[in-house]
Amino acid sequence: MSLLVVGTLAYDTVETPSGKAEEVLGGAATYFSYAASFFGPVRLMSVIGADFRPEDRELLAGRGVDLGGLHVEPEGRTFRWAGRYEGDMNVAETLDTQLNVFADYAPKVPEPFADSRYVFLANSPPAMQAHVLDQVSDDAFTVMDTMNLWIDIAREELDAVLQRVDLLIINDQEARMLAGESSLIKAGRAILEQGPNAVIVKKGEHGAFLFSREFFYAIPAYPVETVVDPTGAGDSFAGGLMGYLASEDRVDEASLRAAMLYGSVVASFNVQDFSLGRFKEIERAQIDERFQEMLRFTAHP
């Protein structure tokens, strides 16, 4: 079933205790679409500059990612981000952000994409997310990400978008900030009152919580002995989760539980190398193997 992602394609420079990677392919839409492509085709909307490497376009297209929504600014430069991880691998120190062509991006959903049944709004200004929602079907299952910046400076617009989406995916710090609660349980339940039908709170290496009006679910993260680069882990989690939901074409308690496990498994591969390095080495079968391990980890005797 059709899955659409709207977000950034970027070039990242990342430093971790494992080393440094310069000008590697990154961006929320990149990680999401590659992760989701293990489960089926993906439609991608973003903006790039003339400096975007042809081999990176070919990489995504080769994964079944439809680039019909990719806008090229011939005089512009692609989004850049530089960050460093030291000690706490769940938190990046941002060294540099250059929005470049993304600064003035006004997404226009191509007519063939407008009927997408599953839509992921990656982290971006709430006004941009609302603009996309105006162009897709009201029947779509819509999921959004956000960040502390928008909670800080665009709260009114963010609150309006929360009223329109089915699921919000955020990390634990953002959940506490959005809800004004120190307890994650209270925060998750408070966010439900702000509009979305469900909320997933990511806790990095400690797993994730899912809150809905019908049930609560908690999972651990898939255990990874050595984390090389956590950049994109959250978007990879979202890609695995939504890729699975779209492939099953249903959203209920059972599918959401399984989708969270798949999201954790896919993210566990992502963190094992810089950029998409580890993803390029695996196939769906290896994801399913870890999924079965997750079932054993979480099963009661």
Side-chain angles (χ1 to χ4, degrees):
M1 189 56 68
S2 52
L3 171 59
L4 170 66
V5 56
V6 185
T8 55
L9 298 185
Y11 287 122
D12 295 342
T13 296
V14 185
E15 299 176 51
T16 80
S18 297
K20 183 176 182 179
E22 298 189 51
E23 292 281 298
V24 293
L25 183 59
T30 297
Y31 285 109
F32 179 95
S33 58
Y34 204 106
S37 73
F38 288 108
F39 301 88
V42 184
R43 297 167 170 176
L44 185 150
M45 286 181 57
S46 189
V47 60
I48 56 175
D51 60 336
F52 196 78
R53 298 184 288 254
E55 59 266 32
D56 292 330
R57 291 186 65 148
E58 293 167 7
L59 173 68
L60 294 172
R63 293 295 308 176
V65 178
D66 187 337
L67 302 178
L70 185 58
H71 179 70
V72 181
E73 287 287 351
E75 303 300 322
R77 194 164 184 263
T78 302
F79 187 105
R80 294 297 199 284
W81 178 80
R84 177 169 55 213
Y85 296 87
E86 291 181 329
D88 185 357
M89 295 292 279
N90 291 315
V91 181
E93 175 190 358
T94 295
L95 303 175
D96 184 39
T97 300
Q98 300 175 27
L99 296 178
N100 298 328
V101 294
F102 198 73
D104 299 316
Y105 180 44
K108 184 175 182 180
V109 178
E111 196 279 329
F113 286 10
D115 65 350
S116 298
R117 295 286 297 160
Y118 297 82
V119 177
F120 180 64
L121 306 171
N123 175 34
S124 54
M128 183 184 295
Q129 294 173 322
H131 182 60
V132 175
L133 290 174
D134 291 339
Q135 301 174 69
V136 298
S137 170
D138 291 337
D139 295 327
F141 179 73
T142 52
V143 181
M144 68 175 288
D145 187 9
T146 193
M147 65 181 298
N148 53 0
L149 175 64
W150 313 125
I151 299 171
D152 236 355
I153 70 170
R155 186 58 187 265
E156 186 175 341
E157 293 92 338
L158 176 59
D159 286 344
V161 178
L162 286 172
Q163 294 285 335
R164 302 177 62 184
V165 298
D166 296 295
L167 172 64
L168 169 67
I169 302 178
I170 53 174
N171 68 33
D172 48 358
Q173 294 177 333
E174 295 158 351
R176 291 186 175 99
M177 184 178 180
L178 183 60
E181 297 280 359
S182 58
S183 162
L184 282 183
I185 304 300
K186 288 183 178 179
R189 291 172 177 162
I191 295 169
L192 286 177
E193 298 305 312
Q194 297 178 28
N197 295 322
V199 179
I200 292 176
V201 178
K202 301 171 294 182
K203 301 184 296 162
E205 63 182 319
H206 303 296
F209 290 153
L210 185 150
F211 301 86
S212 82
R213 293 180 173 82
E214 290 77 38
F215 70 98
F216 170 80
Y217 186 49
I219 65 166
Y222 182 91
V224 176
E225 185 172 334
T226 301
V227 174
V228 173
D229 177 18
T231 307
D235 294 301
S236 297
F237 172 90
L241 181 143
M242 288 197 71
Y244 174 78
L245 291 176
S247 70
E248 295 291 304
D249 194 21
R250 63 188 178 95
V251 180
D252 54 24
E253 181 174 347
S255 62
L256 281 169
R257 286 172 178 261
M260 284 189 67
L261 293 175
Y262 268 116
S264 179
V265 164
V266 172
S268 75
F269 285 106
N270 171 75
V271 302
Q272 290 183 309
D273 202 351
F274 289 101
S275 184
L276 302 175
R278 186 73 174 106
F279 277 167
K280 295 176 185 178
E281 299 173 345
I282 66 170
E283 300 293 341
R284 172 64 186 270
Q286 290 160 277
I287 292 173
D288 289 334
E289 287 175 10
R290 284 195 181 180
F291 177 80
Q292 291 302 318
E293 290 179 349
M294 283 287 282
L295 291 179
R296 292 194 293 273
F297 296 158
T298 56
H300 293 289

